[in-house]
């Protein structure tokens, strides 16, 4: 037997357990037989003349003391001997023999202990939470002062969760819905919602009521609104926030940026779900979607993606390759770029369900406020006079590849005989070595491309082929400071053709 039970072991039984009639030796033999691989449960019941069904024996096994102590009275806690099929005592719930407090194992269907001590603790916690909530009431944000994005996200959450209470709503039933989780986190960070005073301590991973700090899963606690509005009570504020009545102007840059953010997120999530078997979960379609949205509507992107998803042989070939998200993005790009005649044949308009591009944010922003129910058939607007931007991860790669240390300028210009400022950068001429080119990577790449030196996008390119020495690429600040230093030292500036 896996458990060391001796005549000195304190053994406990449930009141109805028929096993408590046996003396220690008989009980010990019964348990030996029960956990033996050679004895079935049916044979054990028959051998010891027990009047019960096979499944009842595991429910009537005795309890023994474990190492865990009760957090309330430091008494020994007990655990029932486990089932024959899963004989591990440390997976059993622990029970205090004095106050009845229970500590449930992580796989238990129970989560909340009903002992008197826990009930008192919960009552005290909720009283403290309510005091904290009431104390914070004077610091609530004015609903009218919220941004359009904050109002739309709030309305989407209140509608999606079907909220009818100002200070007690949750997302329990939505499991791991990342869209709702992200919206709750956003509203919490902006102090538009706050943990409800109706929560119990078991809802939080950790907390410090004195500091007002809580550690929690946004999907596993109850929430309360944390906004106010002059002349309105809580119920009226909830109604106004849930069904906002205002118009959205697309002449304002923040609204256009939010428009693009909503569409990008919807498409990114849709594509990630559609091709989840081909790509890693942490991969993102963000960059590809932003590029596609410059020329195509959300519906066109969805149709191109779905037509590829239905192309069984291409999907199978991609699944066997290592290209992952790049291969998917390339295939969608190719389908979007097809001539209209070929696109009409390859992409069937009747196969796609636009409801898949709908969520709480699109419903509130486009349908209820912007009055644009066919948003998916429209190009996403760009902010007026807004320069196109590369995504942050690409810019970070460029930043990692440039020299910004200004203290290196003196060493670079040492022994320089003359210099010239050209379309590709600053040429430093030395008496006994190659001309050194001080430039940034994008300028060098553009220059080489215009010279026709880059034929294949996948091949390595080298501006050194033109006879320059390029030790590094530099920031704009570095180049401007270098020019200033050259002039201060009176180094000759010459005209130079490159």
């Amino acid at each position: 037997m896996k458990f060391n039970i001796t005549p000195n072991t304190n053994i406990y039984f449930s009141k109805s357990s028929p096993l408590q009639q046996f003396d220690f030796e008989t009980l010990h033999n019964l348990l030996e037989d029960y956990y033996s691989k050679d004895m079935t449960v049916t044979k054990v019941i028959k051998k010891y003349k027990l009047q019960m069904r096979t499944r009842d024996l595991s429910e009537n096994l005795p309890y023994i003391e474990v190492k865990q102590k009760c957090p309330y009275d430091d008494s020994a806690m007990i655990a029932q001997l486990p089932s024959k099929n899963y004989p591990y005592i440390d997976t059993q719930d622990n029970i205090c023999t004095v106050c009845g407090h229970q500590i449930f194992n992580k796989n238990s269907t129970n989560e909340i202990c009903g002992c008197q001590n826990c009930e008192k603790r919960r009552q005290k916690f909720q009283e403290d939470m309510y005091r904290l909530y009431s104390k914070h009431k004077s610091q609530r944000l004015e609903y009218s002062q919220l941004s359009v994005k904050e109002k739309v996200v709030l309305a989407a959450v209140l509608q999606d969760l079907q909220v009818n209470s100002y200070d007690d709503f949750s997302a329990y039933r939505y499991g791991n819905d990342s869209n709702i989780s992200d919206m709750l986190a956003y509203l919490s960070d902006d102090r538009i919602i706050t943990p409800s005073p109706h929560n119990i301590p078991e809802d939080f991973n950790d907390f410090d009521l004195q500091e007002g700090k809580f550690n929690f899963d946004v999907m596993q606690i109850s929430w309360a609104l944390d906004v106010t509005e002059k002349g309105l009570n809580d119920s009226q504020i909830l109604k106004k926030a849930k069904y906002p009545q205002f118009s959205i102007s697309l002449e304002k840059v923040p609204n256009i940026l939010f428009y693009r953010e909503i569409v990008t997120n919807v498409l990114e999530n849709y594509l990630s779900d559609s091709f989840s078997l081909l790509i890693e979960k942490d991969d993102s379609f963000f960059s590809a979607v932003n590029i596609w949205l410059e020329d195509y509507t959300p519906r066109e992107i969805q149709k191109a993606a779905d037509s590829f998803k239905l192309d069984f042989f291409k999907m199978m070939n991609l699944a066997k390759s290592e290209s992952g998200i790049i291969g998917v993005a390339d295939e969608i790009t190719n389908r979007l770029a097809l001539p209209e005649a070929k696109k009409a044949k390859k992409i069937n308009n009747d196969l796609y369900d636009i409801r898949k591009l709908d969520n709480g944010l699109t419903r509130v922003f486009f349908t209820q406020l912007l009055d644009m129910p066919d948003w998916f058939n429209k190009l996403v607007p760009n902010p007026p006079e807004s320069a196109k931007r590369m995504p942050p991860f690409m810019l970070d790669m460029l930043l990692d590849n440039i020299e910004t240390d200004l203290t290196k300028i003196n060493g670079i210009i040492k022994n320089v005989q003359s210099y010239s400022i050209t379309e590709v950068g600053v040429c430093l001429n030395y008496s006994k070595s190659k001309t050194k080119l001080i430039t940034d990577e994008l300028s060098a790449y553009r220059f080489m491309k215009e010279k026709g030196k880059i034929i294949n996008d996948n091949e390595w390119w080298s501006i050194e082929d033109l006879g320059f020495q390029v030790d590094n690429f530099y920031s704009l600040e570095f180049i401007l400071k270098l020019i200033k230093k050259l002039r201060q030292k009176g180094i000759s500036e010459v005209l130079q053709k490159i």
Side-chain angles (χ1 to χ4, degrees), residues 39-47 54:
M39 286 280 283
T40 65
V41 176
T42 300
K43 289 181 179 179
V44 173
I45 291 175
K46 186 176 181 180
K47 178 178 178 179
T54 303

Side-chain angles (χ1 to χ4, degrees), residues 103-324:
I103 298 177
F104 302 103
N105 78 77
K106 62 181 180 180
N107 297 317
S108 176
T109 54
N110 297 311
E111 295 180 358
I112 306 299
C113 174
C115 76
Q116 289 186 353
N117 286 322
C118 282
E119 290 292 350
K120 290 178 181 178
R121 178 171 176 257
R122 289 186 202 107
Q123 183 177 354
K124 173 70 166 53
F125 178 85
Q126 290 186 328
E127 290 172 353
D128 291 341
M129 282 287 288
Y130 187 77
R131 277 194 291 271
L132 187 65
Y133 183 68
S134 300
K135 181 181 178 181
H136 180 68
K137 194 172 183 178
S138 61
Q139 302 173 21
R140 287 180 183 172
L141 299 172
E142 288 278 344
Y143 176 79
S144 59
Q145 299 302 312
L146 300 183
S147 68
V148 168
K149 178 178 179 179
E150 289 171 332
K151 289 177 180 177
V152 170
V153 175
L154 178 57
V157 165
L158 297 178
Q159 291 180 29
D160 280 351
L161 301 186
Q162 302 176 30
V163 175
N164 294 310
S165 171
Y166 181 93
D167 64 355
D168 191 11
F169 58 89
S170 68
Y172 298 137
R173 66 181 181 276
Y174 286 86
N176 296 318
D177 189 311
S178 60
N179 184 52
I180 290 180
S181 175
D182 290 343
M183 290 193 294
L184 287 172
Y186 170 78
L187 295 173
S188 176
D189 289 343
D190 281 13
R191 294 177 45 238
I192 296 168
I193 59 174
T194 190
S196 167
H198 297 283
N199 282 297
I200 58 176
E202 288 86 351
D203 292 330
F204 298 94
N205 300 325
D206 191 19
F207 58 86
D208 185 339
L209 284 172
Q210 297 298 321
E211 296 290 333
K213 295 179 179 179
F214 303 90
N215 181 7
F216 53 84
D217 181 336
V218 295
M219 302 292 281
Q220 298 300 319
I221 69 167
S222 294
W223 293 96
L225 285 176
D226 204 19
V227 293
T228 186
E229 189 76 335
K230 190 174 182 180
L232 300 181
N233 60 32
D234 288 352
S235 296
Q236 292 169 325
I237 293 171
L238 172 60
K239 183 177 180 181
K240 184 172 184 175
K242 188 174 181 180
Y243 301 107
Q245 302 292 324
F246 62 88
S247 59
I248 294 177
S249 171
L250 289 183
E251 294 179 359
K252 295 182 178 180
V253 172
N255 293 346
I256 296 177
L257 293 176
F258 185 40
Y259 184 136
R260 176 171 286 270
E261 179 184 333
I262 293 174
V263 177
T264 301
N265 288 340
V266 167
L267 283 171
E268 185 182 350
N269 290 334
Y270 178 75
L271 294 170
S272 296
D273 291 341
S274 297
F275 299 100
S276 60
L277 297 179
L278 299 182
I279 61 174
E280 297 293 333
K281 290 184 177 180
D282 57 351
D283 279 340
S284 170
F285 281 96
F286 179 83
S287 300
V289 168
N290 271 285
I291 293 172
W292 294 329
L293 287 176
E294 295 298 323
D295 300 301
Y296 304 101
T297 67
R299 182 63 180 269
E300 288 177 309
I301 296 170
Q302 181 202 24
K303 286 160 58 177
D306 283 1
S307 70
F308 172 43
K309 190 168 60 174
L310 296 173
D311 195 331
F312 177 78
F313 293 106
K314 281 203 171 184
M315 284 284 287
M316 287 298 294
N317 289 334
L318 186 58
K320 296 175 183 177
S321 71
E322 297 180 359
S323 55

Side-chain angles (χ1 to χ4, degrees), residues 435-450:
T435 294
K436 184 177 292 186
L437 179 62
I438 307 297
T439 186
D440 66 278
E441 191 168 7
L442 286 177
S443 296
Y445 175 74
R446 176 191 57 79
F447 181 77
M448 291 290 286
K449 193 166 187 177
E450 290 177 354

